[in-house]
């Protein structure tokens, strides 16, 4: 069975401080990992995916297969980063996503 | 393009009543999904569809039924609503191109069952 764990329900950081949102997964094969974000009063949207190795809005995430982690990082938090963040996993050959329970990021001015 | 739309946006039901939530997408996506979002639980998959005329159960299918008569529409039905079904329901759709499983979400339907 596949599982995604986000250990922090709430993370508060000051503006300008570094941010790290943790995500650990359990999957026996080679997963595809994603971060989705939900801003207040907006729909859930894709932030980034590990296969793209891209930086979106200053966020990056590296897949660490040895530690089965896909932590989301940003060197300097901005107030507009305040949102709910979900880590998600897709198994090989599957189009389904398994979501973590989410972490609410609050950036303090 | 409107993307993924959901009808209605809000609904209050009494226990035992029935209703249907409609999801529509104009992106010609093969795959469509219904999730529920509860505080502290994240998103949980109710049912999904891999194409017109096909549906499958997700993680929490009990109490719900779905139909995909047209490629662009995915309906979620509650035959006899229960207070435990109070939640925010999200529909999503995705392409089938390997390596591009981005799911596009609708705005959600907030359902309250009293």
């Amino acid at each position: 069975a596949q599982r995604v764990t986000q250990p922090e329900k709430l993370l508060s950081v000051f503006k300008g401080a570094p941010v790290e949102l943790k995500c650990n997964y359990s999957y026996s094969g080679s997963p595809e990992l994603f971060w989705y974000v939900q801003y207040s009063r907006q729909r859930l949207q894709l932030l980034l995916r590990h296969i793209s190795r891209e930086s979106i809005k200053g966020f990056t995430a590296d897949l660490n297969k040895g530690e089965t982690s896909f932590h989301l990082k940003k060197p300097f938090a901005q107030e507009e980063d305040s949102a709910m963040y979900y880590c998600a996993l897709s198994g090989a050959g599957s189009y389904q996503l398994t979501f973590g329970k989410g972490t609410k990021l609050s950036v303090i001015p | 393009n409107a993307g993924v739309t959901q009808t209605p946006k809000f609904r209050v039901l009494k226990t035992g009543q029935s209703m249907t939530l409609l999801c529509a997408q104009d992106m010609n996506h093969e795959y469509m999904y219904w999730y529920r979002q509860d505080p502290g639980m994240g998103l949980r998959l109710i049912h999904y569809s891999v194409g017109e005329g096909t549906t499958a159960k997700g993680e929490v299918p009990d109490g719900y039924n779905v139909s995909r008569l047209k490629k662009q529409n995915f309906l979620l039905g509650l035959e006899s609503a229960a207070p435990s079904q109070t939640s925010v329901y999200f529909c999503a759709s995705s392409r089938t191109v390997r390596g591009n499983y981005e799911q596009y979400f609708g705005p959600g339907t907030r359902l309250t069952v009293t």
Side-chain angles (χ1 to χ4, degrees):
Chain A
Q2 54 197 54
R3 187 184 302 133
V4 176
T5 302
Q6 294 180 250
E8 304 135 329
K9 285 185 180 179
L10 174 65
L11 182 64
S12 296
V13 300
F14 285 101
K15 177 181 174 182
V19 174
E20 182 177 68
L21 296 161
K22 291 184 168 54
C23 172
N24 289 91
Y25 67 89
S26 173
Y27 183 70
S28 57
S30 293
E32 296 197 24
L33 276 297
F34 307 82
W35 277 100
Y36 279 79
V37 61
Q38 188 175 26
Y39 300 103
S40 179
R41 303 185 194 280
Q42 294 188 26
R43 63 185 70 190
L44 199 64
Q45 58 187 288
L46 178 68
L47 180 62
L48 55 79
R49 69 198 86 184
H50 89 271
I51 59 172
S52 299
R53 297 182 178 275
E54 57 200 346
S55 174
I56 303 293
K57 298 183 178 181
F59 284 98
T60 59
D62 291 319
L63 179 59
N64 185 323
K65 293 186 177 181
E67 296 183 357
T68 60
S69 68
F70 188 55
H71 302 328
L72 183 67
K73 300 178 183 179
K74 184 171 182 176
F76 308 103
Q78 302 299 316
E79 288 180 63
E80 55 265 30
D81 296 329
S82 294
M84 196 73 184
Y85 291 81
Y86 292 96
C87 182
L89 176 153
S90 175
S94 171
Y95 302 102
Q96 294 183 55
L97 287 175
T98 297
F99 285 87
K101 294 184 178 181
T103 298
K104 184 175 182 179
L105 175 64
S106 178
V107 180
I108 305 165
Chain B
N1 286 350
V4 179
T5 58
Q6 292 182 232
T7 308
K9 289 187 171 58
F10 304 94
R11 186 71 186 269
V12 178
L13 287 179
K14 293 185 178 179
T15 298
Q17 287 184 321
S18 63
M19 76 163 295
T20 300
L21 281 67
L22 171 64
C23 175
Q25 53 96 2
D26 60 3
M27 296 174 283
N28 201 35
H29 287 169
E30 288 291 334
Y31 282 63
M32 296 187 74
Y33 316 81
W34 274 108
Y35 295 91
R36 59 178 290 172
Q37 183 185 43
D38 301 294
M41 298 296 291
L43 277 83
R44 293 182 291 170
L45 183 65
I46 304 171
H47 285 281
Y48 65 98
S49 168
V50 302
E52 183 178 319
T54 68
T55 63
K57 295 180 180 179
E59 181 186 354
V60 288
D62 294 341
Y64 306 94
N65 56 75
V66 288
S67 64
R68 184 98 180 268
L69 299 180
K70 294 182 178 181
K71 185 177 183 179
Q72 64 268 34
N73 295 338
F74 194 29
L75 279 62
L76 177 72
L78 286 73
E79 291 186 348
S80 180
S84 60
Q85 294 178 303
T86 293
S87 187
V88 181
Y89 292 85
F90 288 98
C91 177
S93 68
S94 69
R95 300 174 187 166
T96 58
V97 177
R98 180 158 182 80
N100 187 12
Y101 300 153
E102 178 179 356
Q103 291 191 12
Y104 295 80
F105 284 82
T109 294
R110 187 174 295 274
L111 175 66
T112 301
V113 183
T114 61

